[in-house]
Amino acid sequence: MDDKVRTLLQEHGLKATQQRLTLLDYLMTHETHPTAEMIHADLPDISLATIYNTLEKLVEVDLVVIIEGLADGKRHYDFFAEPHYHIIDTDTSEIIDANNFDPRPLMQAARKASGLNITGYHIELYGVEPKDKK
Amino acid sequence: MDDKVRTLLQEHGLKATQQRLTLLDYLMTHETHPTAEMIHADLPDISLATIYNTLEKLVEVDLVVIIEGLADGKRHYDFFAEPHYHIIDTDTSEIIDANNFDPRPLMQAARKASGLNITGYHIELYGVEPKDKK
DNA sequence: ATCTCCGTTTAGAATTATTCCAAACAAAAG
DNA sequence: CTTTTGTTTGGAATAATTCTAAACGGAGAT
């Protein structure tokens, strides 16, 4: 059942420990965008240090991305199976995932502008609930 | 001479204090993307607390943007006169500004996906120096 | 199965970027 | 010039994240 998660970890060169299986499965099955603390609250058997360690590893191998810059000042984490971007409500700090945008032209432009091989991206849009100005 | 900077502050509803004039002028005339500490090193007569306070105000009125998520764990700041995006060399942490991309289709897509009025964006691409695999 | 190796986990201590505080100050308006 | 109101400041406080060193446990080899 968590063979899928186990395989995912091993494909990315990470040893499949119990904690990593639990944490990655948690991220894959929750639509939320939790902080380390929030994860720890739901998975109290995994120490906070391990949650930080594990998240760091998952970010390294691109299974997870960090969402920074929210009003609460904490890092939020997001399982990143397929590429998407984030829309953040600056009033409520709600984070919405969206993928109705093709990033390839942007990556092309970035390569052209910098000469670098582009390896990834973070796109975050900020918005507010319309006031219905009428 | 700093009438331009003074006007810029006032247009954005900020009182034009000596410290704000100095700090904003500093950001406008430096291509670098400094941290609060780096600014404080160059402008030691402005207290560190004021540098943080002032940067916060400048970010509020969209004259400055925060660049987070670099390897050093610190926030970097960037004068944001005209919209652009960032390309970050993940090996060297070098930050490159680029503007050869029209964000409007992305903003449209985000509005469509979220129903929010889009007020801003942060786009960051990550890349590495080509190894010349040849 | 058992052994061994080496990466992982852990509790708690340490770090440090950033925020908070309350008193002194200085822009801008009247 | 006086007042008002927002700003600046040094230092203390906060808290998210990282570090440390000892115990542990996957997983390949025997």
Side-chain angles (χ1 to χ4, degrees):
Chain A
M1 174 200 307
D2 50 23
D3 279 354
K4 204 163 146 186
V5 185
R6 167 169 271 111
T7 308
L8 199 50
L9 282 171
Q10 289 169 342
E11 281 174 352
H12 288 261
L14 296 181
K15 199 188 273 184
T17 67
Q18 203 51 55
Q19 291 88 342
R20 287 179 183 170
L21 289 167
T22 305
L23 179 30
L24 182 52
D25 181 72
Y26 176 90
L27 287 176
M28 290 172 70
T29 56
H30 286 73
E31 281 293 319
T32 167
H33 300 79
T35 63
E37 277 296 350
M38 290 162 70
I39 298 170
H40 186 52
D42 284 345
L43 305 176
D45 291 346
I46 304 179
S47 84
L48 189 52
T50 297
I51 289 177
Y52 276 108
N53 288 341
T54 303
L55 288 171
E56 181 182 29
K57 287 291 184 188
L58 294 175
V59 169
E60 265 174 26
V61 300
D62 292 319
L63 279 173
V64 166
V65 290
I66 298 173
I67 307 171
E68 282 184 300
L70 295 223
D72 64 9
K74 298 170 193 168
R75 290 184 192 156
H76 292 242
Y77 294 86
D78 185 16
F79 178 60
F80 201 65
E82 56 242 30
H84 57 269
Y85 66 96
H86 297 121
I87 308 163
I88 298 169
D89 185 320
T90 48
D91 290 332
T92 66
S93 283
E94 184 190 10
I95 302 168
I96 298 162
D97 292 336
N99 61 4
N100 59 345
F101 169 74
D102 181 355
R104 286 173 299 182
L106 171 59
M107 295 174 80
Q108 280 282 345
R111 173 200 226 115
K112 199 168 163 188
S114 68
L116 299 179
N117 284 341
I118 303 304
T119 55
Y121 62 85
H122 277 38
I123 298 177
E124 293 176 5
L125 287 284
Y126 302 94
V128 295
E129 197 72 30
K131 300 292 276 184
D132 264 284
K133 264 295 179 29
K134 162 102 74 14
Chain B
M1 172 200 310
D2 51 21
D3 280 356
K4 202 163 148 185
V5 184
R6 166 169 272 113
T7 307
L8 198 52
L9 283 171
Q10 289 169 341
E11 279 174 355
H12 289 260
L14 295 181
K15 199 187 272 184
T17 67
Q18 203 51 55
Q19 291 87 342
R20 288 178 182 169
L21 290 168
T22 305
L23 179 30
L24 182 52
D25 180 71
Y26 175 89
L27 288 176
M28 291 173 69
T29 55
H30 285 73
E31 282 294 317
T32 167
H33 299 79
T35 63
E37 277 295 352
M38 290 162 69
I39 298 170
H40 186 52
D42 283 344
L43 304 175
D45 292 346
I46 304 178
S47 84
L48 189 53
T50 297
I51 288 176
Y52 276 109
N53 288 342
T54 303
L55 288 171
E56 181 181 29
K57 287 292 184 187
L58 294 174
V59 168
E60 266 175 25
V61 301
D62 292 319
L63 279 173
V64 166
V65 290
I66 297 173
I67 307 170
E68 282 184 300
L70 295 223
D72 63 8
K74 299 170 193 170
R75 290 185 191 154
H76 291 241
Y77 294 87
D78 186 15
F79 178 59
F80 201 65
E82 57 244 30
H84 59 268
Y85 66 94
H86 297 121
I87 308 163
I88 297 170
D89 185 320
T90 48
D91 290 330
T92 65
S93 283
E94 185 190 9
I95 303 167
I96 299 163
D97 293 336
N99 62 3
N100 58 344
F101 170 74
D102 181 355
R104 287 173 299 183
L106 171 60
M107 296 174 79
Q108 282 281 345
R111 172 199 228 117
K112 199 168 165 187
S114 68
L116 300 179
N117 284 341
I118 303 303
T119 55
Y121 62 85
H122 277 36
I123 298 176
E124 293 177 4
L125 288 285
Y126 302 95
V128 294
E129 197 71 30
K131 299 294 274 187
D132 263 281
K133 267 289 179 33
K134 163 101 74 10

